[in-house]
Amino acid sequence: MPYNFSLAIGIRENPILTLKPGELNAIRNYCDMTRSLLEKKRPYQAETLRHLTCAYAYGLGTYLYSMAESRRLSNDELLMQRFLTEVRTHYKQERRVVYYAERLHITTGYLATLVHRVSGKSPSDWINDFVVMEAKVLLKSSALTVQQITHELNFPSQSFFGKYFKRLTDLSPKEYREGKMFR
């Protein structure tokens, strides 16, 4: 799913939303259905809850996206959005900040300053977030081996990928795949 910076900025700047009566009723209906579903053990209870929650999240997402579309981004935010688009497109092949600065026709220093000012994170943090998120998805939802994931994400070796993943998540790829979230 593409990262929508306008949506993230909109939520950060407006963490409290005023709901219309219909929107409030939709939330109450979801809560009532969830409560009813959890009152007693039922066949397919977990699956039903998962799908109900997914439908709720899509509805909330639609509302938040429509709110974000009406917001106008500043020039810095537009450049940030372009940076994230470039990262989303190239993170599997390229993890160097200088690459993205060149693609945006700005200096590395300016990119670092701008990204930190707008998002509170460094360009490297954003790139790493994209890589780690993809690695986690591949580890949890595919039958690919760690070696295949290493190749898919363009790491020079499985050892290098393992050290990179562990540095950012405190877990080895194998530990993450096996669900060892806490030590």
Side-chain angles (χ1 to χ4, degrees):
M1 176 164 87
Y3 185 84
N4 185 312
F5 191 70
S6 179
L7 176 61
I9 291 289
I11 292 170
R12 186 176 72 196
E13 290 180 356
N14 301 294
I16 299 172
L17 303 174
T18 303
L19 300 174
K20 297 177 182 127
E23 295 160 346
L24 182 58
N25 285 339
I27 292 172
R28 285 186 176 139
N29 287 340
Y30 166 75
C31 292
D32 290 344
M33 287 187 285
T34 302
R35 189 177 306 108
S36 172
L37 180 66
L38 295 174
E39 282 177 352
K40 65 179 183 176
K41 190 78 172 151
R42 296 186 161 107
Y44 308 108
Q45 186 175 26
E47 292 83 359
T48 305
L49 183 59
R50 186 176 304 117
H51 290 290
L52 181 62
T53 303
C54 187
Y56 173 74
Y58 278 121
L60 179 62
T62 299
Y63 172 75
L64 293 173
Y65 272 96
S66 67
M67 183 184 77
E69 285 177 357
S70 65
R71 186 179 180 286
R72 192 166 181 94
L73 295 177
S74 70
N75 287 338
D76 284 353
E77 291 167 342
L78 286 170
L79 191 53
M80 177 73 190
Q81 185 71 48
R82 285 182 48 214
F83 166 69
L84 292 176
T85 299
E86 289 294 329
V87 173
R88 183 176 51 250
T89 304
H90 302 286
Y91 71 92
K92 288 184 182 179
Q93 295 80 33
E94 193 56 65
R95 287 182 287 280
R96 296 175 307 127
V97 174
V98 67
Y99 171 84
Y100 296 99
E102 288 172 358
R103 301 255 328 150
L104 297 170
H105 307 291
I106 59 177
T107 67
T108 305
Y110 182 68
L111 178 62
T113 300
L114 172 112
V115 168
H116 193 269
R117 182 174 58 237
V118 173
S119 72
K121 293 168 57 172
S122 73
S124 294
D125 289 341
W126 280 104
I127 297 164
N128 290 336
D129 286 352
F130 274 83
V131 174
V132 167
M133 189 182 324
E134 181 71 9
K136 286 179 172 182
V137 167
L138 293 172
L139 287 165
K140 285 288 190 181
S141 64
S142 76
L144 295 177
T145 65
V146 174
Q147 180 63 44
Q148 290 168 320
I149 293 170
T150 298
H151 184 264
E152 173 75 19
L153 296 176
N154 201 30
F155 282 90
S157 69
Q158 184 173 332
S159 173
F160 188 88
F161 170 65
K163 288 175 185 172
Y164 174 90
F165 189 85
K166 185 159 184 135
R167 178 173 55 85
L168 295 171
T169 66
D170 292 327
L171 296 168
S172 71
K174 182 181 180 200
E175 289 171 331
Y176 181 79
R177 179 171 263 170
E178 292 172 352
K180 295 179 181 174
M181 298 298 176
F182 304 104
R183 292 188 174 175

